Amino acid sequence: GAGVSQSPSNKVTEKGKDVELRCDPISGHTALYWYRQSLGQGLEFLIYFQGNSAPDKSGLPSDRFSAERTGGSVSTLTIQRTQQEDSAVYLCASSIRGLRGVPYEQYFGPGTRLTVT
Amino acid sequence: DQQVKQNSPSLSVQEGRISILNCDYTNSMFDYFLWYKKYPAEGPTFLISISSIKDKNEDGRFTVFLNKSAKHLSLHIVPSQPGDSAVYFCAASTSGTYKYIFGTGTRLKVLA
């Protein structure tokens, strides 16, 4: 079956412009995560969606960042008025949710490399 | 404050020998740990996990050891192969939550 897909794979944008990054999770996975990996850093949690519950946005670094997930499937991460420090690889992951909240492994997409010039 | 730490940014090992990648954590509430492998231009892929009720989990050439008292886990790869060359991330989570906290990764290079 298809894995997690992300588009675009690369995005170069000018400072101040808005960008949209897309994630298609694995069918049937109710949990969807966005992470950011800056150069030389680990994976930084941004936002989490689980089913129809309100998302956990606690990792979003500023109000320029927002995300939505339509129909419990596809998700879009939007960065408004991009800054150079937003340059990073943005990774999306999906997983199933175990009984009693047991964590399950996440399946990652290939990421979108964002470069803000 | 980094709750999951991988203090070795890189490691080189000869083909056929053992690779040992280490990970330390500070949050005693973590009870589930995972290792991921990442090749360039790809997303991380799940490798192996361990629950805190165990101290060892083995899958083929990969074994993860958990020392709860030391808040330390390690990934052993035996024998190491050139295709194992990648960045390895450890991650930790707590049952009943959904957040995974990742370390900064260790770049493993297996020399042929």
Side-chain angles (χ1 to χ4, degrees):
Chain A
V4 178
S5 62
Q6 292 185 245
S7 60
S9 55
N10 278 286
K11 177 73 178 178
V12 180
T13 190
E14 290 180 354
K15 178 182 170 181
K17 296 280 178 72
D18 298 351
V19 294
E20 279 191 358
L21 312 179
R22 177 187 166 104
C23 171
D24 272 284
I26 293 173
S27 177
H29 281 195
T30 56
L32 187 148
Y33 302 76
W34 282 98
Y35 293 89
R36 175 170 75 173
Q37 186 181 16
S38 303
L39 194 62
Q41 302 298 311
L43 276 67
E44 175 190 2
F45 167 79
L46 296 177
I47 189 169
Y48 164 79
F49 295 90
Q50 170 62 39
N52 295 321
S53 303
D56 179 348
K57 306 178 183 179
S58 61
L60 295 179
S62 78
D63 58 9
R64 296 186 295 104
F65 288 73
S66 62
E68 60 179 30
R69 187 178 185 191
T70 53
S73 181
V74 171
S75 178
T76 302
L77 177 69
T78 301
I79 310 173
Q80 295 178 308
R81 304 181 303 282
T82 51
Q83 304 294 311
Q84 287 186 328
E85 61 262 29
D86 300 334
S87 296
V89 175
Y90 289 81
L91 290 157
C92 174
S94 69
S95 73
I96 59 174
R97 185 83 181 273
L99 293 176
R100 296 181 294 281
V102 171
Y104 271 62
E105 62 265 25
Q106 299 168 302
Y107 293 80
F108 283 84
T112 294
R113 181 174 296 278
L114 175 66
T115 304
V116 182
T117 60
Chain B
D1 175 37
Q2 208 163 351
Q3 297 185 67
V4 178
K5 299 177 186 178
Q6 293 177 258
N7 292 318
S8 298
S10 65
L11 174 68
S12 289
V13 170
Q14 206 68 34
E15 181 179 7
R17 306 295 290 267
I18 183 170
S19 294
I20 300 177
L21 297 108
N22 294 304
C23 180
D24 296 290
Y25 60 96
T26 56
N27 189 339
S28 58
M29 297 298 292
F30 289 146
D31 60 2
Y32 194 73
F33 305 88
L34 309 91
W35 283 95
Y36 286 83
K37 178 168 74 172
K38 185 182 185 300
Y39 292 120
E42 294 182 13
T45 55
F46 171 72
L47 201 54
I48 192 168
S49 63
I50 188 166
S51 162
S52 61
I53 62 173
K54 294 185 174 182
D55 54 20
K56 176 183 172 181
N57 189 24
E58 198 170 348
D59 184 1
R61 297 186 297 113
F62 302 91
T63 303
V64 55
F65 295 92
L66 176 62
N67 182 334
K68 289 186 289 292
S69 60
K71 294 193 180 69
H72 176 84
L73 64 154
S74 60
L75 175 68
H76 292 211
I77 307 173
V78 179
S80 301
Q81 299 173 353
D84 297 329
S85 298
V87 177
Y88 289 78
F89 292 96
C90 68
S93 186
T94 304
S95 294
T97 71
Y98 46 80
K99 272 191 183 163
Y100 298 77
I101 308 298
F102 283 81
T104 52
T106 296
R107 183 178 300 277
L108 173 65
K109 194 169 188 179
V110 180
L111 307 168

